[in-house]
Amino acid sequence: MGKIKSSKRNSAGSSGPYHKNPKQPAASAAAGFKFNTSNYGQHILKNPGVADAIVQKAELKPTDTVLEVGPGTGNLTMRILDRAKKAIAVEVDPRMAAEVTKRVQGRPEQKKLEMLLGDVIKTELPPFDVCISNTPYQISSPLIFKLLSLNPPPRVCVLMFQHEFSLRLVARPGESLYSRLSVNAQFWARCSMVMKVGKNNFRPPPKVESSVVRIEPKTGAERPNISFEEWDGLLRICFGRKNKKLSANFGTKEVLSILERNYRSWCSLNNIPVDDSIVEDVPDVDGDDAMKVDDEEDTEWNGIDEDDDNPAFLKEFNESNLVAKTPSRRKKTRVGELIREKVRKCLESTHLVDKRAAKCDENDFLRLLAAFNDEGVHFS
């Protein structure tokens, strides 16, 4: 306890979500070393009143195990250790990890601290009850998606984010900040704004204002009885271009190819034969009739969610699941036509053909997911 451990998958290198440009100079700071704001988003919370308020809002119990993401120099960590049974701190920067470890050395708190060195997004996390974080801005979205997908989820999360990002978590349909992140956060949890935190409360000060958000994941009977991967897979497609018609997003050859592949897997698992016979050679174009890209759209979509909230690891997942580019002409199979017809049927039966994701609420997406699943079309 109190010693630094390497995570099972340490990705502090160039491929992690913290990484930007290793040649960028780090911001200067006191305490004998420089804070790395460009790569790790290190802005240390220096206001003790704000730190106290964050920990108080978590309503910690003496029996709680608390996950802290990015402990920095340990200002929040020490307050957590005073109130909880154990703190698991995940830190990507070895210098910061050493700083926190040094603060508890020789003290009773040393036995209550477990330090994991690595990238929290790619680290296999041990069980914990509460998450507290002064979150590096670069991993805001990936952290939210990872916490929401945990089963069982933590009891509560009290997290510091860039203010605009916090507003995305509570945005409603039709609002400019409404996104796939908004739908997921509100579907799987209850989110509330706690307080706004000015930039001068940090060292060094960031360029933007921050906010603290309290997130209470739904549990028990409240938690939706559906697959997180299925739900989010649907939303990734719907919010690929949130202001375009859903028929346009589902009508691209990339999306149809992914759905066809998933349908083949489902048929294989359920011993359902697939008709691979060729219909005819046809030009390789996207969609037709009800599934056609809007006329005003002048750029091609590659099937990957273009929302700014799309986590890096989910972008990688999407890219790895896209089929290779097809030649200018392709074989038109009956199973491919079947998928196209199933998509058309699902959009029409839910009356969502001409609706845009930016205006849909969670009930719209639930109806759409149920319609696709009834047709044997899955998103994971």
Side-chain angles (χ1 to χ4, degrees):
M1 294 294 184
K3 296 182 180 179
I4 300 175
K5 298 181 180 180
S6 294
S7 63
K8 292 186 178 180
R9 285 184 288 176
N10 182 356
S11 59
S14 59
S15 62
Y18 294 80
H19 179 75
K20 283 191 175 181
N21 184 353
K23 296 183 179 179
Q24 289 179 335
S28 61
F33 56 80
K34 297 178 179 179
F35 293 135
N36 192 329
T37 59
S38 59
N39 292 343
Y40 299 152
Q42 291 173 344
H43 297 279
I44 306 303
L45 179 63
K46 66 179 184 179
N47 187 326
V50 175
D52 286 333
I54 290 174
V55 177
Q56 288 171 4
K57 287 296 181 180
E59 299 176 357
L60 296 180
K61 302 175 182 179
T63 56
D64 279 340
T65 295
V66 180
L67 175 73
E68 185 185 6
V69 179
T73 57
N75 293 338
L76 280 172
T77 314
M78 301 306 294
R79 290 167 170 80
I80 294 170
L81 292 171
D82 284 343
R83 295 168 173 81
K85 177 183 178 181
K86 180 181 179 181
I88 302 170
V90 185
E91 176 58 63
V92 73
D93 188 343
R95 302 170 308 147
M96 292 294 188
E99 182 73 12
V100 178
T101 303
K102 185 169 65 175
R103 287 187 68 168
V104 299
Q105 191 170 6
R107 301 178 56 172
E109 293 88 345
Q110 182 175 359
K111 295 181 180 180
K112 299 167 65 175
L113 174 66
E114 179 179 352
M115 179 67 66
L116 297 181
L117 184 62
D119 174 358
V120 68
I121 305 304
K122 297 184 178 180
T123 294
E124 185 177 339
L125 299 174
F128 62 95
D129 305 297
V130 176
C131 180
I132 294 176
S133 172
N134 175 18
T135 314
Y137 295 153
Q138 293 93 325
I139 63 166
S140 296
S141 285
L143 179 61
I144 286 289
F145 280 91
K146 180 160 187 171
L147 292 173
L148 292 177
S149 66
L150 292 176
N151 194 10
R155 185 177 75 247
V156 65
C157 306
V158 180
L159 312 171
M160 179 97 73
F161 294 118
Q162 180 179 344
H163 182 60
E164 182 177 317
F165 181 88
S166 300
L167 293 177
R168 290 177 181 271
L169 292 172
V170 296
R172 304 300 299 168
E175 296 179 355
S176 61
L177 294 179
Y178 185 65
S179 64
R180 172 173 145 261
L181 174 71
S182 313
V183 180
N184 266 310
Q186 296 168 45
F187 185 69
W188 296 98
R190 291 180 294 275
C191 305
S192 58
M193 304 283 284
V194 173
M195 60 181 170
K196 194 172 181 179
V197 183
K199 60 184 72 174
N200 291 330
N201 290 284
F202 301 88
R203 185 179 76 245
K207 296 180 180 179
V208 296
E209 302 295 307
S210 302
S211 290
V212 177
V213 179
R214 178 183 167 93
I215 300 174
E216 298 177 72
K218 297 175 182 177
T219 58
E222 281 190 308
R223 188 168 177 85
N225 188 27
I226 62 175
S227 163
F228 180 89
E229 290 74 18
E230 275 284 292
W231 172 257
D232 190 57
L234 170 72
L235 294 182
R236 286 203 306 269
I237 295 174
C238 293
F239 280 93
R241 296 166 299 178
K242 68 178 183 179
N243 291 313
K244 296 298 176 183
K245 295 177 182 179
L246 291 178
S247 55
N249 286 344
F250 277 95
T252 66
K253 61 180 179 293
E254 289 83 6
V255 168
L256 291 170
S257 295
I258 292 172
L259 296 181
E260 180 181 333
R261 186 200 59 193
N262 291 347
Y263 178 72
R264 289 175 180 274
S265 298
W266 179 80
C267 288
S268 176
L269 291 173
N270 290 276
N271 295 317
I272 298 175
V274 174
D275 188 351
D276 265 326
S277 60
I278 304 301
V279 178
E280 59 180 326
D281 283 345
V282 294
D284 191 8
V285 295
D286 285 341
D288 56 26
D289 299 329
M291 295 190 301
K292 183 168 60 177
V293 177
D294 294 351
D295 292 338
E296 68 269 22
E297 178 68 18
D298 58 2
T299 57
E300 292 185 358
W301 181 49
N302 63 359
I304 302 174
D305 190 346
E306 295 174 352
D307 195 319
D308 289 339
D309 297 317
N310 194 36
F313 72 91
L314 285 178
K315 285 183 180 177
E316 293 169 3
F317 174 85
N318 265 343
E319 289 168 353
S320 67
N321 279 275
L322 290 178
V323 296
K325 289 185 178 180
T326 54
S328 58
R329 298 184 67 85
R330 59 180 173 138
K331 298 293 185 181
K332 190 174 183 180
T333 63
R334 296 196 181 278
V335 67
E337 287 300 287
L338 176 64
I339 291 300
R340 187 181 296 277
E341 184 57 32
K342 285 179 178 291
V343 170
R344 189 198 309 277
K345 179 180 177 181
C346 291
L347 291 172
E348 290 180 349
S349 66
T350 55
H351 307 289
L352 295 174
V353 172
D354 295 324
K355 200 162 184 180
R356 290 158 169 79
K359 302 295 178 93
C360 292
D361 60 24
E362 65 180 40
N363 290 323
D364 293 324
F365 296 121
L366 276 172
R367 287 190 291 113
L368 190 58
L369 181 63
F372 274 113
N373 286 173
D374 286 344
E375 291 292 327
V377 179
H378 296 275
F379 299 91
S380 65

